[in-house]
Amino acid sequence: MLSDMISYLSSSFLTPILLVKFSVLWLCMDVVNVAFAAGSDHDESAAALRLGLLFGGIGIGSFIGPLVAEQFTSMEKPETLQRACVVSIGVSAFTALAMGAPALPFWLICVLSAIRASGISAAWINSSLIIQKFCAPDMLGRVSSVEFGLALIAECSSAFIAGVLQDDYGWSPQQVCTGIGFLGLLFLAGWSLFHVLGKGAASQAARLLPNEKEKESLAKSDCDVESTKS
């Protein structure tokens, strides 16, 4: 089973898309959210309230992001799904950089966190749609498990490195946001080049695959041929 999956991924134009979630989840910054919520007043009850507001904003952003992206995408045009992933990574990266600005009011941090989460969520949904659209049915489970595994590695690594930078190297939450934001820009540059060069869902191979309407039309034509023969 493992050898079949490796053989499939080694020959599929879909394989790089498995790294979209890996790229965008570096921008989660859960540890930094806790640092922002702690504030400078050392009031535990106020910190708990601020943390709840932060994660509430993240939840709202995660809900809104895919709804906004949906207005600009179509399953019949897979390149739009990939473009949405690239734009979403950019939104999250630039928002992370904005959160690195000094002395931001807490309400603005909540807003920026919501925007950052909307980009992460939109990239997650649209990359999943690409995989579900193009992956062979008998490989979908195994491919999805690899994708989710890579995503979890990215999220855990982001939290670990952010924690080490703050605890062992004395970085402020703003400095961590700036560092992760620049990392996001590197991912943005790579995925932008990937898309512009016509790779993945923007490739000729993806465009040549029949969409759902064409599949229905072909199936109807086959049925008409069969009924004519009979």
Side-chain angles (χ1 to χ4, degrees):
M1 294 177 65
L2 180 60
S3 60
D4 291 340
M5 183 189 68
I6 293 174
S7 176
Y8 174 76
L9 291 178
S10 64
S11 60
S12 175
F13 68 88
L14 183 68
T15 304
I17 304 300
L18 301 182
L19 294 174
V20 170
K21 290 185 178 68
F22 174 84
S23 301
V24 78
L25 284 185
W26 276 95
L27 301 166
C28 282
M29 303 192 303
D30 292 336
V31 174
V32 178
N33 291 333
V34 175
F36 277 125
S40 58
D41 53 13
H42 304 292
D43 185 339
E44 292 185 3
S45 60
L49 175 60
R50 286 193 291 262
L51 187 60
L53 291 173
L54 266 176
F55 280 105
I58 290 171
I60 293 171
S62 298
F63 177 76
I64 293 176
L67 297 180
V68 174
E70 185 183 12
Q71 308 306 312
F72 305 95
T73 59
S74 170
M75 290 293 286
E76 282 71 42
K77 297 179 179 179
E79 68 274 11
T80 63
L81 300 174
Q82 185 166 286
R83 187 183 304 121
C85 291
V86 176
V87 172
S88 298
I89 292 172
V91 168
S92 297
F94 281 110
T95 308
L97 283 175
M99 291 178 67
L104 290 178
F106 182 74
W107 68 266
L108 184 54
I109 293 175
C110 290
V111 171
L112 292 173
S113 294
I115 297 173
R116 178 175 50 82
S118 70
I120 293 172
S121 180
W124 181 287
I125 295 298
N126 284 285
S127 63
S128 294
L129 290 174
I130 294 172
I131 290 173
Q132 291 172 18
K133 180 177 178 66
F134 292 115
C135 187
D138 60 330
M139 289 290 173
L140 182 57
R142 281 170 277 184
V143 171
S144 295
S145 67
V146 172
E147 183 194 30
F148 286 129
L150 291 171
L152 289 174
I153 289 173
E155 186 173 13
C156 295
S157 299
S158 174
F160 175 76
I161 292 174
V164 169
L165 290 175
Q166 289 183 89
D167 296 339
D168 294 347
Y169 293 92
W171 282 33
S172 68
Q174 290 80 8
Q175 289 174 315
V176 174
C177 287
T178 301
I180 292 180
F182 278 116
L183 177 63
L185 291 183
L186 290 177
F187 286 128
L188 173 63
W191 284 112
S192 297
L193 183 62
F194 178 80
H195 184 75
V196 169
L197 292 177
K199 304 294 184 179
S203 65
Q204 190 66 23
R207 293 173 183 172
L208 290 176
L209 289 176
N211 59 38
E212 296 302 321
K213 292 181 179 178
E214 291 171 338
K215 289 178 181 178
E216 291 177 3
S217 178
L218 290 171
K220 184 177 180 181
S221 298
D222 291 340
C223 291
D224 291 341
V225 171
E226 292 296 329
S227 60
T228 302
K229 290 181 178 179
S230 59

